[in-house]
Structure formats: structure tokens, C-alpha cells
Amino acid sequence: MFGLKKTALLFIWIVILFSFLACNQKKENNIVYKKPPAEKLDATCKWLKNEDNFLKKNYMSVLYHYYNQKIKQKNYILAAKSLELVAWNTGSFASFDQRFFQTVTAFSNNYTDEIPESKTRFFNMYFGDYYTDKGYFYKAIKAYAENSKIDVVDYDSCYFKGDAYRTIAWCYYRLGKQNLALKNELASLKYFEKTDSKVMLGNVYIGIAEIYQNSKDYDKTEDFLNKALAIFSKDKQNNLRSIYICLYNKINLYDRSMNYEKMNPLIDSVYFGYKKSKQNDPSIKISINTYYVHRILEQNKFAEAKAILDSLKPEVDAINSTVSSQEYTVALASLQSKQNKGIRDVKPIHDAIQELKTIQNYTRVRDLYAVLYNDAMNSKDYEKAMLYTDSMSIATDSLGTKEMAHKVAELDKKYQTKAKEQQIALQKKTIVNNRTTIALLVSALIGFLLLATAFTLIRKQKQLSKEKRSAQQYTKQLLEKTEEERKRIASDLHDSVSHELLSLKNSFEVKSEITNTKIDSIINDIRIISRNLHPVMFDKIGLKSSIEQLVERAQLVNNFLVSSHIEYNQSLSSSDELQVYRIIQEALSNIIKYANAVAAKISILENSTSLLIEIKDNGIGFNISEVLKSKNSFGLHNIIERSRAIGGEAKIVSDKKGTIITIEIKK
């Protein structure tokens, strides 16, 4: 028992160790590129990196002074670093300065060869962001495509490649090519999953949500936005900007799906929450505030709407963002239309529509037609309103047709399979270096399990064997004691009772023929009983002769043909021979009583490994299973148990042609 407890404890510890190592192995197989520690920057670069400084009036002048100084010093790496830091902030705030664009272009043309390749990746990122903001989506895709060719070797290369695919997806989304948009979002997801940048995973989920929104699958849109929000909410303090972008997209979702019961309370919550947050991001502020303007215009709060738009105007002009400018223009036009004053100048809106159609930006085209439609309805110009409705429908269809929705759903299903295949391929690449360790660990565990199982089975087998031997020994001892008792009784009957009867017979003075015959018959019966209890001469003449005598008596008494064939060299002990005799005696008795047989044969054959005993008859046979279950099966059980007691095994076969009992005793 103590040994089993120790084995169980050892097994538990090995399982715990294996689980720990397996968990570590799994982490290694996921290949997470961790964000490296922040690089050391000089004071000016630190200042340029800080987002809070971006909106300061001297921000760009500080950049150009530092940049020109580093160019003169031929310190091109620091010059590039200053441009990169500003490029990141420019993209974050969606504020694109023409002079800065020209500066980055000039540097990339003149000094690219002077700095490492890893320091030039931001060029394509910035150019892509710039062209995206201006609506030149095909130019943006071309720029981002260069970064999609990067070989992934570390966190930065993996991040830039993922970001390239993500922004290419955004461009295709704006062009109305939803299947290509989803394809690139999923490619982006694959690379960001290799990094510890959870925020970028959230941004990808937002992108996928927008694609489903254009495909009019609003349930999946909300699912992906909730996934993104769950990621951002884990670190609210550092992800507040991303949270508001996600909430803005939720507002847009409810607007598109006409779920105003959810949209209106969310607009209020986001608007007032943003004001309290003291966030200073003009692009997000403009997006949230213009949605709130549309909300209060429905409540005819024109003065409040105008005050908000007036406060936004300087920021719209300052950041020079095409997207923000259009959002502001649409909100202002809606205010003018709602006041029944009519849009003062529709020409900028029509010009914007033509430009947006040229670059296939159908999202903005649809929004601007919606403004013109509302203006026409307020002016009761129903003919124009119908034209704008048709134009708005065409723009919407260009964004997401039913066929496109089907393609997006189909592509998503394919991704689920492909993503698993890619993950497996990625894991295989890592497992190659660790396979030996895992194989040894698994082999050791399997070996231990097999050993423990084998040990348990051996213990059980030993226990069963011990119990079997004990039972066999007990049966053998019981049979031997029984034989001793039978021998004593037989001896008493032969030596005592028979002699007493002979004395009685001789003591009669007047002898009668009948009396003598009767006493002789009793003496003969007693001798038969005595021989049945124990063969008197067995110990002297042995097994073979005793069986031959048994066969002869069976024939004489029962008028029954019995033959025997015995090849035996006395390999068994005297007690075991007696058990063999009893088995044959029992079998013959059963044949005589139940078999209705004409003949029987007894065979004993001995070879180098075993002793084979066979008793067969040509009787009527019987159903073995039924007889063994019945109350009258003592004789058969007697044969089986005696066979086991001497290390043998009895097999009984019976049918209408007769019965064969075979006993094999291993030497």
C-alpha cells in the first residue's frame, strides 16, 4: 500500500512538471516579438516625440531647426529619427503639412543610402498616411506595399509589416473593395498576433468591423468592435484615444443600421465623456463633436450646434486634414439646411463629390449626397431630392453589394481555416528546434505511465496468481484430506466390517443357503463401496493398472464397452495420480448414468512438456452451460476443480454425437 502511494505521488509530480514545461513550450511556439525598451533620445527628440507638444505653435519650427542642424553635421541617422518621430504624430493626429511632406520626400531621395534600411521604413508609412488622408488611395497602397515586403526578424519589422497590411486594407475599404480589404486585414492580424502589441490587434478588429459594416453584416460589425473595446479597456489610461475611436465607430455603426435607440445615448455619453477626459486630439474631437452636432440638430438646438462648429473651425484649419475638413463641411451644411436657410454654397460639396468619385471614395460620396438630399427636402425641391437619393443609392451599392457581402463572409470562413494552417506552419518551424526535448519528455512520461501501468498489472497479476495458487493449494489439501478420510473409511469397511460379517457367517450353527448368500452379497457390496471410496491396491500397483482395473469393472458391472490407451511414465506424484484416477472415475460414472452411450475410451498420453488425458463417449451429449448452471452439476465441477488442483485445465466439448473431456497437465 505504501508503495502504491509513493507511485501515485511520483506520478502527480511528473504530470505537474510536464504541464509546466508544456505551457512554457506553448508560449515559445507562439513566437511573440516583445516591444524593445524605449531607445535613448536626446532632449530635442524626446520633446518631438511627446504628443502633447504636437499642437504647440513652435512644434514644426523646432523640428526644422534640429533637422537642418543634423543635416549640416551629416548626422543623417538623427535627422531621420526626428522626421520619424514627427511622422508618427502626424499620422496620429491626421494632420498633414505640405512642407513636412516635401521635407520627408527630399530626405528619402537624397539620404536613403546613408542610413540603415530599418531606419527608412517610416518613409513608406508616412507617404501612405499622407496619400490616404488626401484620398489618393492607389498611391497610398503602392507606398504601403513596399513595407509589406519587409522580412520579419524582430518586433519593429513585424510591426511595420502588420501596419502596412492594415493600412492597405483601409484603402481598399475606402475604395469599396471589401474582399481585398478583409484579405489585407487578416494578413495584418497574422503579424500583429506575433507581437505583444495588443492595441494594434484592437485597431485591426476595428478595420474588420468597418468592412462588415459596409457589407451590411451589422452583428459581426458589433462583435469585432466589442473585441477591440475589450482589448483597449484593459489599459484605459494609456488607450483612451483608441477607446474613443472605437466608440466613434460604434456610433457610426448604429447610424448606418438606423439603430437610433442605441446611437443617441451613445453620442451623448461619448461627447460629454470626451470633454471630461481632457484629451487633446483634434481629429477625434472633430469626429465626435460633428456627430453630436447632427444629434442636437434633430432637436433643433441650432445655437448650440453653431457654437460647437465655430469652436471647431480653428482646429479644422490648423490640422489640415481632408477627413476632418469634410466632416466639418457636412456638419455645417446640415446646420444651414436645418435652419431652412439652405446651404449657402453647394459648389464646394459638388466639387468634393467629383474628386471623391475620381479616387473612388464612395463613403464620403454617400455622406455628402445625404447632406444635399436633406437640403433639397428642406427646400421642398423634391426633384433634386429624388436625384440625390438615386446618387446616394449608387454610392452605397458601390461600397457593399450583396455579392460583396457574400464574398466577405466566404473569405472570413476561408481565413478561419487558413489562419489555423498558418499557425500550425508557424509552430512547426519553432518546434523543429525543440522537438527532441518534447519527444524525450513525452517519451519519459509515456514510459513512466507504461511502467506504472505495467507495475500495477504485475502486482495485480501476482496477487491473482497468489490467490489462484492459494485456492489451488487449498483445494488440493482438501482433496488430499478427503482421500485420507475415504482411505480410512474404506480400510475400516474392508478390515473391520467385512471380517465381522465373515465371523458372523461362520458362527451360525445351523447354516442356511439363503443366509450365506445374503451375507456374501453384503460383503461384496461393502468391498465395492470400499474400492469406490479408495482403491485398495492403488498405492502398490499405480495409476495405469488401477485405471485398467476400473475399466474392467465398469465393463463387467454395466455391460458397457470401455477401452483404454495409456502411455504414462509415472511423472506425477502419488497424490496427483490419485486425483487423475478420481477424475476418470467421475467421468465414467457420468457416462454410465447420463450419456446413454454404447462405448467409451480413456486415453492418457505423456510427452516432454505435459500429460494429456482424454475421456470420450458416443452418448447423446448435453448442453454444457446449462448443466454447469444447474443443481445437478456436481460431477462436472468435481472434474474441473480436481484438474485445477493438480495444475491442469479441463475442457469439455459435447454435442449429439457424444462428449469429450480433455485435461492437460503441464509438467
Side-chain angles (χ1 to χ4, degrees):
M1 191 68 180
F2 181 72
L4 282 174
K5 285 183 178 178
K6 286 207 304 186
T7 303
L9 286 171
L10 180 60
F11 174 76
I12 291 167
W13 276 111
I14 288 181
V15 169
I16 292 170
L17 176 63
F18 176 79
S19 302
F20 175 76
L21 293 173
C23 289
N24 286 344
Q25 191 64 40
K26 186 176 179 181
K27 288 179 182 177
E28 290 175 8
N29 289 343
N30 286 336
I31 314 179
V32 175
Y33 292 115
K34 294 186 177 181
K35 187 175 182 179
E39 60 183 323
K40 293 181 179 180
L41 301 172
D42 60 28
T44 303
C45 283
K46 283 182 181 178
W47 189 87
L48 291 171
K49 183 180 180 180
N50 191 336
E51 289 184 351
D52 294 337
N53 296 324
F54 182 76
L55 298 175
K56 293 180 178 179
K57 292 182 179 180
N58 65 331
Y59 185 81
M60 297 307 290
S61 60
V62 171
L63 163 70
Y64 292 128
H65 176 77
Y66 181 86
Y67 170 77
N68 291 327
Q69 185 183 62
K70 297 305 172 187
I71 291 294
K72 286 180 182 178
Q73 297 171 357
K74 296 185 179 182
N75 191 337
Y76 303 116
I77 291 179
L78 283 181
K81 175 53 67 175
S82 65
L83 295 179
E84 181 183 356
L85 295 171
V86 175
W88 280 106
N89 283 338
T90 296
S92 296
F93 286 92
S95 176
F96 296 94
D97 178 88
Q98 186 64 27
R99 182 184 172 187
F100 183 70
F101 174 78
Q102 292 170 350
T103 303
V104 175
T105 303
F107 186 90
S108 67
N109 291 336
N110 298 323
Y111 303 113
T112 298
D113 295 337
E114 304 294 333
I115 58 177
E117 180 273 334
S118 61
K119 304 295 183 182
T120 65
R121 293 168 184 162
F122 81 92
F123 295 156
N124 294 314
M125 179 200 72
Y126 171 76
F127 292 141
D129 288 347
Y130 177 86
Y131 290 132
T132 298
D133 180 73
K134 302 305 176 188
Y136 303 134
F137 296 120
Y138 286 109
K139 281 187 176 182
I141 289 170
K142 186 178 179 181
Y144 291 128
E146 291 301 314
N147 276 357
S148 70
K149 300 172 186 176
I150 295 171
D151 291 329
V152 175
V153 294
D154 55 15
Y155 176 88
D156 288 336
S157 57
C158 192
Y159 183 97
F160 271 103
K161 190 160 189 167
D163 187 62
Y165 280 117
R166 185 181 68 87
T167 325
I168 289 171
W170 168 251
C171 293
Y172 279 126
Y173 161 76
R174 297 297 296 275
L175 289 168
K177 299 180 182 295
Q178 308 305 330
N179 57 333
L180 290 174
L182 183 59
K183 182 179 178 182
N184 281 277
E185 286 287 11
L186 297 178
S188 172
L189 189 64
K190 181 180 76 171
Y191 288 103
F192 283 126
E193 282 177 341
K194 296 180 187 177
T195 74
D196 59 356
S197 178
K198 301 302 180 186
V199 174
M200 292 309 296
L201 277 179
N203 290 335
V204 173
Y205 289 148
I206 291 175
I208 295 173
E210 289 172 332
I211 294 165
Y212 276 116
Q213 180 173 298
N214 266 357
S215 300
K216 300 176 184 177
D217 190 340
Y218 300 125
D219 289 336
K220 280 199 172 182
T221 303
E222 190 162 17
D223 286 344
F224 276 99
L225 287 176
N226 287 336
K227 281 184 180 180
L229 202 56
I231 289 174
F232 299 143
S233 298
K234 288 179 180 178
D235 187 3
K236 288 184 179 180
Q237 187 174 356
N238 293 319
N239 296 332
L240 205 55
R241 182 175 183 275
S242 297
I243 288 172
Y244 279 110
I245 291 173
C246 193
L247 291 172
Y248 169 78
N249 277 275
K250 267 203 166 185
I251 293 171
N252 194 30
L253 162 65
Y254 297 143
D255 188 16
R256 284 284 299 276
S257 60
M258 294 183 290
N259 190 344
Y260 302 120
E261 288 184 6
K262 286 186 176 181
M263 183 186 80
N264 291 331
L266 184 59
I267 290 174
D268 293 342
S269 173
V270 172
Y271 173 74
F272 290 109
Y274 187 82
K275 285 182 73 174
K276 289 180 181 178
S277 71
K278 297 180 181 180
Q279 285 284 298
N280 193 21
D281 187 327
S283 60
I284 298 176
K285 181 181 178 182
I286 292 165
S287 296
I288 292 173
N289 276 258
T290 51
Y291 245 122
Y292 183 71
V293 166
H294 289 296
R295 163 105 168 98
I296 60 177
L297 284 176
E298 295 296 324
Q299 302 168 351
N300 296 324
K301 296 180 180 180
F302 304 132
E304 184 182 353
K306 185 177 184 305
I308 291 172
L309 290 174
D310 288 345
S311 68
L312 291 177
K313 188 66 169 69
E315 291 182 274
V316 172
D317 294 337
I319 66 173
N320 191 30
S321 167
T322 304
V323 174
S324 296
S325 296
Q326 287 177 354
E327 287 177 337
Y328 179 83
T329 301
V330 170
L332 181 61
S334 296
L335 170 63
Q336 294 169 352
S337 176
K338 282 283 186 180
Q339 288 177 314
N340 294 320
K341 296 179 179 179
I343 299 174
R344 292 176 186 173
D345 187 3
V346 296
K347 186 177 181 302
I349 295 179
H350 282 289
D351 291 343
I353 287 172
Q354 292 306 314
E355 183 181 349
L356 291 167
K357 281 182 177 179
T358 303
I359 59 177
Q360 300 182 37
N361 187 348
Y362 294 108
T363 307
R364 290 294 170 193
V365 170
R366 179 203 60 210
D367 293 342
L368 292 176
Y369 273 129
V371 172
L372 292 173
Y373 165 79
N374 289 330
D375 182 60
M377 288 296 292
N378 289 331
S379 304
K380 297 183 180 180
D381 190 342
Y382 301 119
E383 185 178 351
K384 278 188 177 180
M386 283 294 295
L387 291 173
Y388 290 143
T389 300
D390 292 341
S391 298
M392 194 162 46
S393 297
I394 292 169
T396 302
D397 289 340
S398 298
L399 274 173
T401 62
K402 289 183 179 179
E403 180 183 359
M404 190 63 71
H406 175 72
K407 285 183 179 179
V408 168
E410 184 180 359
L411 189 59
D412 184 40
K413 287 181 181 178
K414 287 181 179 178
Y415 168 73
Q416 301 304 325
T417 303
K418 190 174 180 181
K420 288 180 181 177
E421 291 174 354
Q422 289 173 339
Q423 183 67 17
I424 289 169
L426 186 63
Q427 288 177 348
K428 281 183 178 178
K429 189 176 179 181
T430 307
I431 288 170
V432 168
N433 297 327
N434 304 307
R435 187 171 290 167
T436 304
T437 305
I438 295 173
L440 289 173
L441 187 60
V442 171
S443 298
L445 181 61
I446 292 172
F448 175 78
L449 290 173
L450 290 173
L451 189 63
T453 305
F455 177 74
T456 304
L457 290 174
I458 289 169
R459 282 179 63 87
K460 285 184 178 179
Q461 191 65 35
K462 283 183 177 180
Q463 186 66 24
L464 289 172
S465 297
K466 185 178 179 181
E467 290 173 0
K468 185 179 178 181
R469 285 195 302 271
S470 296
Q472 184 177 324
Q473 188 67 22
Y474 174 77
T475 303
K476 189 173 182 181
Q477 288 176 356
L478 183 62
L479 290 172
E480 287 175 353
K481 293 295 181 184
T482 303
E483 288 298 335
E484 288 177 7
E485 189 62 20
R486 292 176 74 163
K487 184 177 179 180
R488 184 188 65 76
I489 294 170
S491 179
D492 288 347
L493 285 171
H494 183 271
D495 296 339
S496 180
V497 178
S498 293
H499 288 168
E500 289 297 327
L501 285 170
L502 283 172
S503 298
L504 179 63
K505 177 182 174 183
N506 294 327
S507 67
F508 289 137
E509 293 180 358
V510 179
K511 295 184 180 179
S512 164
E513 183 70 25
I514 296 171
T515 304
N516 289 339
T517 303
K518 188 67 175 174
I519 291 173
D520 288 340
S521 176
I522 293 170
I523 291 170
N524 190 50
D525 288 343
I526 289 172
R527 285 174 179 170
I528 291 170
I529 293 170
S530 177
R531 280 197 298 269
N532 287 337
L533 282 170
H534 184 78
V536 179
M537 300 297 291
F538 185 87
D539 295 333
K540 294 180 179 180
I541 64 176
L543 177 63
K544 182 177 179 181
S545 298
S546 296
I547 291 173
E548 288 173 347
Q549 286 183 4
L550 178 64
V551 168
E552 186 179 347
R553 283 199 305 274
Q555 290 187 101
L556 290 172
V557 175
N558 299 288
N559 193 22
F560 175 65
L561 179 61
V562 184
S563 62
S564 63
H565 176 71
I566 302 173
E567 295 181 6
Y568 173 63
N569 297 319
Q570 297 182 330
S571 57
L572 299 178
S573 65
S574 178
S575 60
D576 288 352
E577 285 182 348
L578 183 56
Q579 298 307 323
V580 172
Y581 177 84
R582 291 299 187 196
I583 290 168
I584 295 171
Q585 187 182 37
E586 185 67 48
L588 275 177
S589 176
N590 287 342
I591 292 169
I592 293 165
K593 288 179 182 178
Y594 309 114
N596 197 19
V598 176
K601 183 178 180 180
I602 298 167
S603 301
I604 300 178
L605 300 173
E606 184 177 5
N607 57 39
S608 59
T609 59
S610 62
L611 184 70
L612 188 65
I613 303 164
E614 184 181 77
I615 307 109
K616 61 182 179 179
D617 65 68
N618 61 356
I620 59 174
F622 61 93
N623 188 313
I624 299 168
S625 59
E626 287 184 4
V627 172
L628 286 173
K629 291 177 184 177
S630 71
K631 296 179 180 179
N632 301 319
S633 61
F634 180 78
L636 287 180
H637 282 295
N638 191 16
I639 291 170
I640 293 168
E641 290 304 319
R642 286 182 184 273
S643 299
R644 287 178 181 167
I646 57 176
E649 184 179 2
K651 293 181 181 178
I652 305 171
V653 179
S654 186
D655 57 25
K656 293 179 180 180
K657 295 180 182 180
T659 302
I660 301 174
I661 299 173
T662 306
I663 301 157
E664 185 179 12
I665 304 169
K666 298 288 184 182
K667 288 187 178 180

